[in-house]
Amino acid sequence: FDRNDPTKLITRSEEPVIEPQYPYECYGIAEYTTFGNALINFKGNWYLYYGCSDTRIAVAIQKSDAPSIVHIVEIVYAANQKGLSRKL
């Protein structure tokens, strides 16, 4: 999307950036759904915050010294739970 006009789509990837593969991404209100919320560069690492099945928020981290694959590191929040955090 255009940074000055976020209603304007600039380009679209031919392949998904992230796809549902873990149970928390596959089961919920909108099953088998992942969608990006924010992409942040912090201290040389990329953090992709994304929604999972309309019930959870997760973060995928691309470390500056990691191979090109995005690693899922932890679940930030879980709907209808007090909070869930774990390494995958």
Side-chain angles (χ1 to χ4, degrees), residues 40-77:
I40 299 168
N41 185 287
F42 181 70
K43 295 186 178 182
N45 297 321
W46 285 99
Y47 296 80
L48 173 63
Y49 291 88
Y50 66 99
C52 310
S53 297
D54 277 348
T55 55
R56 294 169 180 83
I57 298 172
V59 61
I61 300 174
Q62 172 65 50
K63 296 191 175 198
S64 58
D65 61 349
S68 61
I69 188 169
V70 174
H71 301 283
I72 305 299
V73 176
E74 65 181 347
I75 300 169
V76 180
Y77 291 116

